[in-house]
Amino acid sequence: MIAAIKPAGANTRGLLAYLYGPGRHDEHLDPHLVTGFAMLAMPDPGRDENATLTELGRHLDEPVHLRNSEFGKPVTDHVWHCPVRAAPEDRYLSDTEWGEIAQRIVHEAGIAPDGDDLACRWIAVRHADDHVHILATTVREDGRRPKLHDSGIRVGDACREIEKDYGLRRLKKGDRTGARRPTQAEMHKSERLGWEQTSREWLQDRVRAAIPHATSTEELLAYLEADDILVKRRRGPSGDLLGYAVGRPGDLNKDGEQIYHPGGKIAPDLSLPKLKARLETSAPEEHPTARRERPTTPWHQATEALDTLRPETTTTSADEDARTQANISALGELIEATAQAAPADHRAQLRAASAAFARAQRSQVRAEDRAAHALRTAARDIAHTATGPDGSALAALTAALLWAAILAARWHEAKGHAHQADAARQAVQHLQSAADDALAPLLPALESRRPTEETRRTLASDVRAAVPEHAERILADPGWPILAAALADAEAGGHKPHQILKEAAARRELGTAHRPARVLITRIQHTSRNPAPNRRAEAARLRSTTASAFGTPSPAAQLPTTTAAPTSWLSRPRR
């Protein structure tokens, strides 16, 4: 059940005309009152042919007129409007049930608390099976204004209880991080103009697409202007940027003036302060022993950056949660940048993943944006690269993005972020398709280089030694001969199959993978492109980096299928 409180209005009679009228598409059937502040002798134009809308409007407005006659400054924003809608699959609710629901809504909102004889006047009008409209005038009988601060949160909580009490579809509790829903007027306008999206939805997509291209808010706004987005800046006397609003070309009001939307009204994380925090944070200091040669292409750099997201099953602190949220936010930017730069036949699923992941990028957890510098830099490098990835680079990156999104979903679920966990899971589905599509062209070449039976037996021994708990599933996977070919190629490049398998398995758990052999293929191909490392020097470097910068190192833990404790991403420098 959804209750959507509308912006305050000033015309009670005008709203009544809409509620009792035929609707914009003749969808209003049998409009009538189901309840109100005092049903006895209440004029109902839907049931009484002698009652008029003007009479009902005056009845509701009486406390407003009385207050305005006694005080110098009149009340003009006195009309409170809240449609309450059941889900399409919900059962039919009677007028009596809708009346009870409306009374609970106005009580929680503060319009008419139970037992308050001096509360606001209100009515609930039903003109369809699946919803009612609650109209109230926000001046109490004693002339005071009701306290409506945070009424939307209280009403949302009431709807969750109503769903439980009436056996309706259970929705997730709101957390004030969702983008504003399009209004009926916005949807009708986009339909009239032939737009597939409302202006705010269209602008949100453009702003998010621009973020990976910018290193400051000024640069972001300049990029939007270059993309034909209308930008209005608000500056202080010193010239500092204090706010911004963006407009869609051709989106005009009734007076023919351009409509602008402030960033924070488009989505909560697109306000100027939030964008400045994401774009203008400095890089964290890097321990000198952590430096090493960077991968050759932005695509491999991005995959390496994702490799620093290490799952831990220890109890998280507020600081760790802040780092995790920052990495999730930057992960969304990396998915968006990858979607823009990927070959055309791979973009659809990546763009769908980026759109789905937008809600997962924001939660009530404060993000420590400096912790996500590596991911954010990788996203910008991809956004600015002039050449697309080769097949193996794209396959490795999409597989890494998929695993990072799985980690994000698990973390959000463990923290009780229901909306964000759902968004991440939706993105996982699209990324899984993108990863499968990216891997498919690589399989025939590996298939043609199947190693001999003797070599496969040797490699099977390496599998059992490196990942004994998953060895039988890997060897029974139809993709095992192709994985064996990838291992043989890696061995020819100077890598030890046992070690490269162990590293690949440590970077992603295999317990929930349906095709564990395929999961390992892209990771092994990505690792084998780098020169075989000096193991002793590498181990010394990792000991020095981990011990000096982060305390005692902890082994990479395998995530269970069901998360029992919050998981945290620790961005550990690897360069």
Side-chain angles (χ1 to χ4, degrees):
M1 177 165 287
I2 295 175
I5 299 175
K6 304 296 184 180
N11 188 348
T12 306
R13 172 64 171 74
L15 181 54
L16 288 172
Y18 168 74
L19 298 182
Y20 279 94
R24 294 183 176 88
H25 302 284
D26 294 323
E27 72 275 20
H28 295 178
L29 304 174
D30 187 26
H32 60 279
L33 289 180
V34 294
T35 190
F37 73 99
M39 288 298 288
L40 187 63
M42 177 84 73
D44 182 4
R47 288 287 186 266
D48 184 353
E49 61 182 12
N50 296 317
T52 66
L53 297 177
T54 300
E55 180 186 9
L56 179 56
R58 286 174 178 168
H59 196 50
L60 292 168
D61 281 340
E62 187 174 333
V64 182
H65 293 316
L66 183 61
R67 176 188 168 107
N68 287 348
S69 67
E70 295 181 355
F71 294 92
K73 187 177 181 180
V75 174
T76 57
D77 57 342
H78 63 278
V79 180
W80 188 86
H81 177 208
C82 179
V84 185
R85 186 179 299 273
E89 64 270 29
D90 282 340
R91 65 178 178 83
Y92 177 86
L93 295 169
S94 67
D95 281 0
T96 300
E97 288 174 314
W98 273 120
E100 294 167 352
I101 290 169
Q103 288 176 333
R104 292 174 66 166
I105 296 293
V106 295
H107 166 74
E108 294 295 340
I111 291 291
D114 292 344
D116 188 347
D117 295 333
L118 300 178
C120 300
R121 297 189 176 188
W122 64 276
I123 58 172
V125 178
R126 181 178 190 178
H127 55 215
D129 287 346
D130 63 348
H131 70 279
V132 296
H133 290 258
I134 304 174
L135 183 158
T137 51
T138 56
V139 173
R140 292 165 46 87
E141 298 287 355
D142 56 10
R144 294 185 294 120
R145 304 297 299 274
K147 296 180 180 180
L148 302 179
H149 180 67
D150 284 340
S151 60
I153 297 176
R154 296 194 299 273
V155 167
D157 292 343
C159 286
R160 305 294 80 79
E161 292 299 317
I162 290 168
E163 291 160 359
K164 181 170 60 176
D165 294 344
Y166 286 81
L168 307 177
R169 176 186 173 187
R170 304 285 293 275
L171 300 182
K172 297 175 178 62
K173 185 177 180 179
D175 61 0
R176 306 183 75 177
T177 64
R180 293 174 59 186
R181 297 178 182 273
T183 65
Q184 288 287 337
E186 287 176 324
M187 291 189 288
H188 288 312
K189 183 176 186 178
S190 62
E191 182 181 347
R192 185 175 69 252
L193 296 177
W195 292 342
E196 293 183 0
Q197 295 175 293
T198 65
S199 288
R200 280 193 291 113
E201 292 171 324
W202 187 86
L203 289 167
Q204 180 180 175
D205 286 352
R206 268 59 186 180
V207 175
R208 292 198 188 283
I211 289 174
H213 296 266
T215 57
S216 69
T217 49
E218 294 283 10
E219 191 175 325
L220 173 68
L221 298 182
Y223 184 91
L224 291 172
E225 287 179 317
D227 197 30
D228 295 328
I229 309 299
L230 304 175
V231 178
K232 182 186 291 185
R233 297 169 176 82
R234 180 167 60 86
R235 297 188 183 276
S238 63
D240 292 340
L241 186 65
L242 301 181
Y244 81 100
V246 288
R248 181 180 190 174
D251 185 15
L252 310 177
N253 63 18
K254 57 183 178 62
D255 297 322
E257 299 168 334
Q258 176 65 46
I259 296 175
Y260 288 89
H261 300 270
K265 299 294 184 182
I266 298 173
D269 58 332
L270 298 184
S271 65
L272 181 65
K274 295 288 181 64
L275 287 175
K276 286 176 70 70
R278 288 167 65 178
L279 296 175
E280 300 176 14
T281 50
S282 58
E285 293 185 5
E286 185 178 44
H287 195 273
T289 59
R291 296 172 187 155
R292 69 175 181 179
E293 185 179 353
R294 299 179 72 187
T296 55
T297 71
W299 308 93
H300 292 93
Q301 292 171 22
T303 304
E304 290 290 328
L306 288 167
D307 285 346
T308 67
L309 306 182
R310 308 299 294 273
E312 303 286 346
T313 55
T314 57
T315 302
T316 57
S317 67
D319 288 342
E320 289 170 338
D321 286 345
R323 291 193 290 268
T324 300
Q325 183 59 60
N327 278 315
I328 291 175
S329 177
L331 174 61
E333 296 171 27
L334 183 53
I335 296 172
E336 173 61 37
T338 305
Q340 294 178 26
D345 54 343
H346 291 280
R347 289 177 192 163
Q349 290 293 347
L350 288 167
R351 283 175 172 163
S354 177
F357 199 74
R359 182 65 186 275
Q361 289 180 259
R362 54 185 183 267
S363 74
Q364 292 285 14
V365 175
R366 176 192 60 84
E368 177 51 64
D369 289 289
R370 286 179 298 176
H373 178 76
L375 284 185
R376 196 156 279 125
T377 299
R380 290 169 183 165
D381 289 346
I382 286 179
H384 294 144
T385 187
T387 58
D390 60 31
S392 62
L394 180 63
L397 179 54
T398 52
L401 290 171
L402 169 63
W403 178 231
I406 291 172
L407 291 180
R410 291 183 179 182
W411 182 80
H412 277 309
E413 185 174 9
K415 302 300 293 184
H417 303 159
H419 296 283
Q420 290 82 355
D422 273 355
R425 283 191 287 265
Q426 291 173 25
V428 164
Q429 294 178 3
H430 294 294
L431 288 170
Q432 182 67 70
S433 297
D436 289 343
D437 292 344
L439 179 61
L442 307 180
L443 299 181
L446 287 171
E447 178 78 20
S448 66
R449 299 198 301 274
R450 284 194 181 200
T452 64
E453 186 63 33
E454 182 180 355
T455 302
R456 288 214 301 272
R457 283 197 298 269
T458 302
L459 292 172
S461 299
D462 289 317
V463 172
R464 292 188 178 95
V467 281
E469 65 274 23
H470 302 295
E472 296 312 314
R473 292 180 60 236
I474 293 171
L475 297 176
D477 189 327
W480 158 240
I482 302 174
L483 173 60
L487 287 169
D489 288 348
E491 187 173 23
H495 293 267
K496 295 181 179 179
H498 170 273
Q499 186 64 36
I500 203 171
L501 267 169
K502 199 169 184 178
E503 291 178 2
R507 287 193 172 99
R508 173 177 176 179
E509 60 89 14
L510 301 175
T512 58
H514 297 296
R515 301 284 299 275
R518 290 189 60 157
V519 167
L520 294 171
I521 289 171
T522 51
R523 171 53 52 198
I524 287 171
Q525 283 203 314
H526 171 71
T527 305
S528 64
R529 290 175 66 95
N530 300 323
N534 182 321
R535 297 294 175 190
R536 181 174 298 177
E538 181 74 359
R541 183 191 69 79
L542 287 175
R543 283 197 301 272
S544 173
T545 301
T546 309
S548 59
F550 297 96
T552 304
S554 58
Q558 180 168 315
L559 292 177
T561 303
T562 57
T563 307
T567 57
S568 175
W569 291 356
L570 303 182
S571 295
R572 304 187 178 185
R574 296 171 60 89
R575 295 184 294 183

